[in-house]
Amino acid sequence: MSLPAAPTEWTLDDAVAALEEDIVFGRLHPRQRLTEDELMARFGLKRHAVRQALARLEQIGAIERRPNVGAEVRAFDTAEVMELYALRELLESRAATLIPLPVAPPRLDALMQIQREHDAAVTAGDARHVFRCNHQFHRELFALTDNPVLQHAIEEYARRTHPIRFGTLAAAGYRERARQEHWAMIEALRAGDREALVALCRQHILPSRDAYLAAERLRSGRAA
């Protein structure tokens, strides 16, 4: 897995992005503590800036801060994971019912161009670029609804599941499955196959949910 190049001087935005990526790619694990002193040393930021970074990560649901514990990477229990993914399934399958079909060739071409870049990242084993291309693909896909409110809701809840997705982003088999499903979505958009599109949008998000729950069961078993 390729690591992001560190900037020579870190900004607050850089630090937030780096920590979010560390969580997404499993370099920081659920329940792992984040201390202000360590973050100040890593990023060369003042304490107030580190606290701002932690506040932003808490706001997007990547970490939680608890009295007498401090900041730690958020861990989700089974009920929370199921509820988040049920909401994502509801929003994304609803969006699939609203996209006008078949999609106009110029808009379909834009989606295909993003997917070709995603293909290249999967082939290269560049998990970081896979993550970015995957985000772009889904943003472009749901932009086809021409419904900004729904698009924002989908992006918000997809981002809230970023800490849950490390198991699939790190595994080549899951990345390949996602790549193939993206092309199946494109074909459904081209063919005007609403039923296939809705089914694909529903099933596409489930591997990350199931991988996280399996990892938590394994972690709990080891702890016991």
Side-chain angles (χ1 to χ4, degrees), residues 2-154:
S2 62
L3 299 178
T8 53
E9 291 188 13
W10 293 90
T11 66
L12 175 60
D13 288 343
D14 291 334
V16 171
L19 289 168
E20 187 177 10
E21 284 193 357
D22 284 349
I23 293 168
V24 167
F25 294 118
R27 296 190 287 269
L28 292 172
H29 302 289
R31 303 183 186 88
Q32 184 169 339
R33 288 192 64 198
L34 302 174
T35 68
E36 291 179 4
D37 288 345
E38 288 176 352
L39 297 179
M40 289 167 63
R42 174 180 174 183
F43 297 115
L45 297 174
K46 301 294 187 183
R47 191 174 300 276
H48 71 88
V50 165
R51 288 176 176 171
Q52 284 182 280
L54 292 173
R56 284 168 57 174
L57 289 166
E58 184 178 32
Q59 186 177 24
I60 64 174
I63 68 167
E64 55 186 350
R65 292 187 287 182
R66 296 188 290 159
N68 304 318
V69 174
E72 61 181 22
V73 177
R74 186 172 177 188
F76 296 82
D77 63 31
T78 299
E80 289 175 318
V81 173
M82 296 301 291
E83 287 166 4
L84 272 171
Y85 274 82
L87 184 52
R88 283 193 64 192
E89 181 181 342
L90 180 68
L91 291 169
E92 295 181 26
S93 59
R94 175 58 177 163
T97 69
L98 297 178
I99 295 172
L101 296 179
V103 173
R107 300 190 76 177
L108 196 61
D109 288 345
L111 191 62
M112 291 171 66
Q113 183 57 42
I114 294 169
Q115 185 50 42
R116 291 188 188 101
E117 190 173 349
H118 183 263
D119 288 351
V122 170
T123 300
D126 185 345
R128 181 172 180 253
H129 198 46
V130 169
F131 173 63
R132 296 302 174 195
C133 291
N134 183 72
H135 180 70
Q136 291 174 357
F137 178 88
H138 288 281
R139 175 180 287 176
E140 189 77 17
L141 172 66
F142 295 121
L144 295 172
T145 63
D146 293 320
N147 185 326
V149 174
L150 182 56
Q151 290 170 242
H152 177 76
I154 288 171

